[in-house]
Amino acid sequence: MSGLLTGLKAHLWQRISAIYLLLYFPLAAWYLNQHSFATLQAFKQAVLAGEFWMITLLALLLILVHAWVGMRDILIDYLPRKIVLVGLSVLGLGLMLVLLNLLYLTLSLIQN
Amino acid sequence: MRFSIYRYNPETDEQPYYQDYELDDALIGNEMMLLGALEKLREQDPGLTFRSSCGEGVCGSDGMNVNGENKLSCITKVSELTQPVVIRPMPGLPVIRDLVIDMTLFYEHYHTVEPYLKPTPAGVSIDLDHELLQSPEDRAKLDGSYECILCGCCSTSCPSFWWNPDKFHGPAALLAARRFVVDSRDITTRERLESLDDPYKTFRCRNIQNCTASCPKGLKPSQAIQQLKSLMLEKQVD
């Protein structure tokens, strides 16, 4: 992941994440449809059951990767050259915060 | 027939403007090309400036934006154009005068991809007593790339090139890069691909396809760029 996913690596990760998410969402919809979410506890049990939580966590991480590559491309294309670096830094910080929040949420779910 | 032509002389004009021209329909035949019409208009106004040379769609010097599309004027039939025919210089590069643009940046990108065969290691000269043989199958891989005449219609119609003209190589240069990457006689395939692995040089291509739509030779630069990306992936993975 050198250079914060630029060039070929970004191209590759964008496709890997797209394929994964393309498979994940129908699978998640089908899986969650098998459960009832009458209470928060029931929802937690459904999400944390078996390997589904790992598959979901990976999907969330890949959404971040996909968002970084896609948003980075948009910012490079549309922002004036002088403020591209600022834009990319803000985007990177924003995604880092989302990532930290995600990790906190995951740990909370596992501990409870 | 009515024409509206972009005019700009940086020595005398503060701003570019459009000048309307009228050409007698009797002077325009069914087979007349736009270049012929422009030459007739230049008889009316000797100051009207545009490039042209072979008049056969081979030299690529008369690229211009006609009714919003980049075309070679020498192979564009006047009878097929809607009136008024709005003619502008190709977009994205500085205008020198009227329809003549400064293509320095375009050629610099072409130069950067080293568009020549490198069949021997650096410093080793070619054995001139032996031909560099190539199978018909390997030769066929060059089809669709070597025919480029460097008119610039593709690169100047590419929004990614407009946005980053100094960093993105553009479709024409990348088509040339692909031509030498797939050439079985070239021994620098990996180095060529590594030099193209950059967020700007190649990966600014967003597959918009304007390049393919505007190529007067019917080439597919967009497809060539996608192939370059696939080849980069293969060479990195294997």
Side-chain angles (χ1 to χ4, degrees):
Chain A
M1 291 206 190
S2 64
L4 287 175
L5 285 183
T6 59
L8 180 64
K9 286 192 178 67
H11 179 71
L12 182 60
W13 276 100
Q14 195 173 35
R15 269 139 193 83
I16 289 172
S17 55
I19 292 167
Y20 185 90
L21 295 171
L22 193 68
L23 296 172
Y24 169 78
F25 282 115
L27 179 74
W30 172 80
Y31 172 78
L32 292 174
N33 197 36
Q34 313 291 313
H35 297 78
S36 138
F37 304 119
T39 61
L40 179 62
Q41 199 57 36
F43 174 74
K44 277 185 191 172
Q45 278 177 354
V47 173
L48 293 174
E51 284 81 35
F52 184 71
W53 73 274
M54 286 175 65
I55 296 170
T56 301
L57 185 62
L58 187 57
L60 291 170
L61 291 173
L62 287 175
I63 286 175
L64 289 179
V65 171
H66 201 81
W68 164 252
V69 177
M71 291 296 292
R72 186 191 60 108
D73 279 344
I74 292 168
L75 294 181
I76 291 176
D77 282 347
Y78 290 103
L79 280 183
R81 184 76 57 80
K82 285 179 186 170
I83 58 167
V84 166
L85 203 58
V86 176
L88 290 178
S89 304
V90 171
L91 173 66
L93 276 174
L95 291 178
M96 284 297 284
L97 283 175
V98 173
L99 179 64
L100 288 173
N101 198 21
L102 191 61
L103 290 173
Y104 174 74
L105 187 68
T106 308
L107 288 172
S108 304
L109 275 173
I110 292 170
Q111 281 172 355
N112 295 329
Chain B
M1 188 161 198
R2 288 173 296 125
F3 295 84
S4 179
I5 303 180
Y6 178 102
R7 302 299 309 271
Y8 179 57
N9 181 350
E11 291 176 1
T12 56
D13 303 325
E14 283 188 16
Q15 292 286 327
Y17 61 96
Y18 284 88
Q19 186 165 346
D20 294 331
Y21 292 89
E22 190 103 22
L23 197 60
D24 190 346
D25 288 343
L27 294 171
I28 301 170
N30 269 346
E31 297 300 310
M32 185 186 224
M33 298 297 168
L34 181 60
L35 179 61
L38 284 169
E39 283 166 349
K40 296 274 183 205
L41 292 173
R42 191 160 57 186
E43 289 171 12
Q44 293 177 22
D45 179 358
L48 181 61
T49 308
F50 51 90
R51 286 193 182 108
S52 69
S53 184
C54 71
E56 299 284 346
V58 175
C59 72
S61 59
D62 60 341
M64 55 190 71
N65 189 275
V66 183
N67 287 346
E69 291 176 24
N70 286 354
K71 293 175 182 297
L72 291 183
S73 67
C74 62
I75 54 172
T76 301
K77 282 186 182 176
V78 179
S79 57
E80 292 173 359
L81 299 172
T82 53
Q83 294 189 54
V85 182
V86 180
I87 306 175
R88 293 178 292 182
M90 291 194 292
L93 290 173
V95 174
I96 295 174
R97 180 171 167 162
D98 296 345
L99 304 177
V100 177
I101 54 172
D102 180 357
M103 295 183 72
T104 306
L105 207 51
F106 173 82
Y107 292 127
E108 278 175 2
H109 283 297
Y110 181 66
H111 177 75
T112 306
V113 301
E114 300 184 319
Y116 41 84
L117 205 58
K118 294 202 266 186
T120 57
V124 178
S125 57
I126 302 171
D127 177 7
L128 295 174
D129 292 331
H130 295 91
E131 286 182 81
L132 283 169
L133 297 176
Q134 190 171 43
S135 69
E137 291 77 24
D138 284 337
R139 165 62 188 79
K141 290 177 186 170
L142 308 183
D143 290 340
S145 298
Y146 77 91
E147 301 93 330
C148 176
I149 56 173
L150 294 177
C151 60
C153 285
C154 57
S155 292
T156 56
S157 68
C158 171
S160 297
F161 190 73
W162 300 338
W163 296 327
N164 293 289
D166 55 334
K167 291 192 169 191
F168 175 49
H169 279 334
L174 291 172
L175 183 70
R178 182 256 175 211
R179 181 248 175 274
F180 289 96
V181 162
V182 300
D183 195 315
S184 60
R185 299 164 297 177
D186 194 284
I187 64 163
T188 59
T189 306
R190 187 174 284 273
E191 289 85 345
R192 286 180 186 278
L193 289 173
E194 280 173 1
S195 76
L196 293 170
D197 182 8
D198 177 275
Y200 281 97
K201 290 176 186 172
T202 307
F203 289 93
R204 279 309 84 214
C205 172
R206 314 245 56 85
N207 220 4
I208 296 165
Q209 307 268 353
N210 276 9
C211 52
T212 299
S214 66
C215 179
K217 306 301 282 185
L219 307 180
K220 296 174 179 168
S222 180
Q223 202 176 64
I225 297 170
Q226 298 315 309
Q227 193 187 1
L228 276 178
K229 291 177 183 174
S230 300
L231 286 167
M232 278 184 205
L233 201 54
E234 283 175 26
K235 297 290 172 190
Q236 291 280 318
V237 171
D238 69 13

